Amino acid sequence: MKRFVLSLFLVTTLLFLAACGSDEGSGGSTASGDGNGGDDIQELTIKFSHVVAENTPKHQGALAMKEYIESESDGKIEVEIYPNSSLFGDQDEYQNLAANNVQFIAPDLTKFVGNNPQFNVPALPFMFDNDEEAIAFWDGEKGQEILGSLQDDGVLGLSMWPNGGKHITNNARPIDSPDDFEGLKFRTQGGQVLESIYSAMGAGSESIPFGELYTALDQGVVEGQENTFSNIESKKFDEVQEHMTIMNHTRVDYAIFTNTEFWEGMNEATKEIVQAGVDEGTKVAREEAMSLNEQALETIRERGLVDIIELTDEQIQVFRDALEPIYDEYEDEIGADVYEAAREAAGQ
């Protein structure tokens, strides 16, 4: 009987200690949102992964977000930023976000056209003339609806971060008309609309991860690519390309996405700080996009490594006319309502 009583006492004590340890552990530093009771700011480590260089609008926005969250939380929340595909690349960042291995990514929106064809909006040829028009669409009702369309995967889109209009570089020849694309192959971010654009001009397209693009251009895997000035300059694509045509025919627009388990696991005090940090990052990314692209173009000119072709309004109109059938081709898939919202944002 004494042995039985002693054993029962020991078991009860161990169970009590285990329960206490579990309660203490639930408030520790995690990125999954555990310990969401009460109004105290949670101790979290948040990972933010992206694929571009540090001197880009996206990274400047991420830094502003980090600084705000860490300051306002008095260091309880740590934000780790991983640029240049140093944590995850184009091919695996979405899966790792869905698995909550990373809490924020800011990918090119056209990467999601396989999930929802409405993410093709930045690829619609000559839809938006500038960042302001694109922002107006993504901040509007239809844009927000598209950003929120991935929640079945455990992913939530929060806010669009612009990068700017895209321009053409290539190694084969100067390009100033649709006919000049004939027979060439270009790297694109992927997606049906971008493939159709190049097909309409007699060119091929191939999706290559951004982190591998410099090598692909250098080795001749593709003759050319399309990108913003800031991405061309920061990744030094002009070192391995001979010609650049200023086009502004399609766009690179990002959005900041988070994991829904992480997002919903934060208590109100913590989420308020993180949301405000996202807002601050959005403000800075949007402010930096235009100025960094202007600076990047000037740097490219100063380096003098590529021949720069600036198209006239008449030449641009020839491209517009050649690519106009793209709209009819994808109206059913993307939606007439999306077209209408985009054109309204663009003042058309």
Side-chain angles (χ1 to χ4, degrees), residues 12 24 36 41 43 71 79 100 131 152 195 223 227 247 251 265 280 293 304 318:
T12 304
E24 292 172 0
N36 60 351
I41 298 170
E43 293 185 3
S71 174
V79 180
N100 203 22
D131 291 349
D152 286 347
E195 291 176 4
E223 282 89 7
N227 238 305
M247 289 270 292
R251 292 185 55 82
E280 181 65 19
N293 275 314
V318 173

Side-chain angles (χ1 to χ4, degrees), residues 185-187 206 208 213 216-217 220-225 241:
K185 182 181 285 188
F186 289 80
R187 179 267 182 182
E206 183 173 343
I208 296 172
L213 181 52
L217 294 170
V221 176
V222 290
E223 282 89 7
Q225 60 89 48
Q241 299 276 265

Side-chain angles (χ1 to χ4, degrees), residues 270-291:
T270 307
K271 184 182 289 187
E272 183 177 344
I273 289 175
V274 176
Q275 177 65 71
V278 171
D279 294 342
E280 181 65 19
T282 300
K283 175 176 174 288
V284 170
R286 290 178 175 182
E287 290 173 348
E288 291 287 324
M290 182 178 295
S291 62

Side-chain angles (χ1 to χ4, degrees), residues 56-68:
T56 56
K58 185 191 296 189
H59 189 73
Q60 297 308 308
L63 284 177
M65 176 179 160
K66 169 185 171 70
E67 291 168 3
Y68 183 94

Side-chain angles (χ1 to χ4, degrees), residues 29-343:
S29 176
T30 107
S32 65
D34 290 341
N36 60 351
D39 296 325
D40 293 338
I41 298 170
Q42 296 160 256
E43 293 185 3
L44 301 175
T45 298
I46 296 173
K47 295 180 180 178
F48 189 146
S49 175
H50 69 76
V51 304
V52 298
E54 288 90 339
N55 54 333
T56 56
K58 185 191 296 189
H59 189 73
Q60 297 308 308
L63 284 177
M65 176 179 160
K66 169 185 171 70
E67 291 168 3
Y68 183 94
I69 291 173
E70 291 182 346
S71 174
E72 292 299 312
S73 68
D74 293 325
K76 287 186 176 182
I77 306 174
E78 180 183 0
V79 180
E80 300 175 351
I81 303 175
Y82 298 88
N84 282 310
S85 305
S86 56
L87 185 61
F88 301 115
D90 282 327
Q91 65 271 39
D92 60 356
E93 64 177 1
Y94 184 74
Q95 295 90 331
N96 278 284
L97 180 68
N100 203 22
N101 295 328
V102 61
Q103 287 66 57
F104 288 102
I105 61 174
D108 184 327
L109 288 168
T110 56
K111 299 288 176 56
F112 294 140
V113 296
N115 304 78
N116 179 354
Q118 293 177 331
F119 281 108
N120 272 301
V121 167
L124 293 172
F126 300 102
M127 173 60 80
F128 302 118
D129 288 336
N130 50 52
D131 291 349
E132 288 77 11
E133 293 177 0
I135 289 169
F137 171 78
W138 290 105
D139 282 357
E141 181 180 353
K142 188 58 64 175
Q144 288 296 300
E145 179 184 312
I146 297 170
L147 290 180
S149 66
L150 303 175
Q151 293 188 59
D152 286 347
D153 289 349
V155 171
L156 175 65
L158 298 176
S159 184
M160 175 272 218
W161 289 13
N163 192 1
K166 288 189 288 187
H167 312 279
I168 295 291
T169 69
N170 86 98
N171 260 337
R173 62 182 77 104
I175 289 177
D176 58 21
S177 76
D179 292 341
D180 294 327
F181 282 84
E182 183 72 36
L184 303 182
K185 182 181 285 188
F186 289 80
R187 179 267 182 182
T188 70
Q189 298 94 320
Q192 311 95 322
V193 173
L194 287 175
E195 291 176 4
S196 294
I197 285 174
Y198 284 90
S199 177
M201 297 186 292
S205 61
E206 183 173 343
S207 179
I208 296 172
F210 187 71
E212 301 172 14
L213 181 52
Y214 183 99
T215 301
L217 294 170
D218 189 34
Q219 295 179 351
V221 176
V222 290
E223 282 89 7
Q225 60 89 48
E226 56 170 23
N227 238 305
T228 63
F229 293 134
S230 64
N231 283 349
I232 293 169
E233 187 278 322
S234 63
K235 286 298 187 179
K236 300 183 178 179
F237 294 149
D238 51 329
E239 292 182 345
V240 290
Q241 299 276 265
E242 295 180 5
H243 310 283
M244 182 173 77
T245 302
I246 297 177
M247 289 270 292
N248 197 34
H249 59 303
T250 58
R251 292 185 55 82
V252 175
D253 284 324
Y254 308 123
I256 182 167
F257 290 86
T258 190
N259 175 276
T260 55
E261 178 186 351
F262 158 75
W263 191 254
E264 294 167 2
M266 290 185 289
N267 63 28
E268 288 305 313
T270 307
K271 184 182 289 187
E272 183 177 344
I273 289 175
V274 176
Q275 177 65 71
V278 171
D279 294 342
E280 181 65 19
T282 300
K283 175 176 174 288
V284 170
R286 290 178 175 182
E287 290 173 348
E288 291 287 324
M290 182 178 295
S291 62
L292 285 179
N293 275 314
E294 290 174 351
Q295 293 169 25
L297 176 57
E298 185 60 31
T299 299
I300 293 169
R301 291 187 192 278
E302 290 174 357
R303 288 205 288 245
L305 300 175
V306 290
D307 171 37
I308 299 176
I309 299 99
E310 300 191 49
L311 302 178
T312 65
D313 291 343
E314 291 76 15
Q315 289 172 318
I316 289 289
Q317 189 60 50
V318 173
F319 278 101
R320 287 180 178 273
D321 293 342
L323 298 177
E324 183 63 30
I326 300 293
Y327 284 90
D328 291 337
E329 182 179 352
Y330 287 97
E331 182 171 0
D332 290 341
E333 193 169 354
I334 296 174
D337 57 334
V338 175
Y339 281 5
E340 182 180 356
R343 286 173 174 142

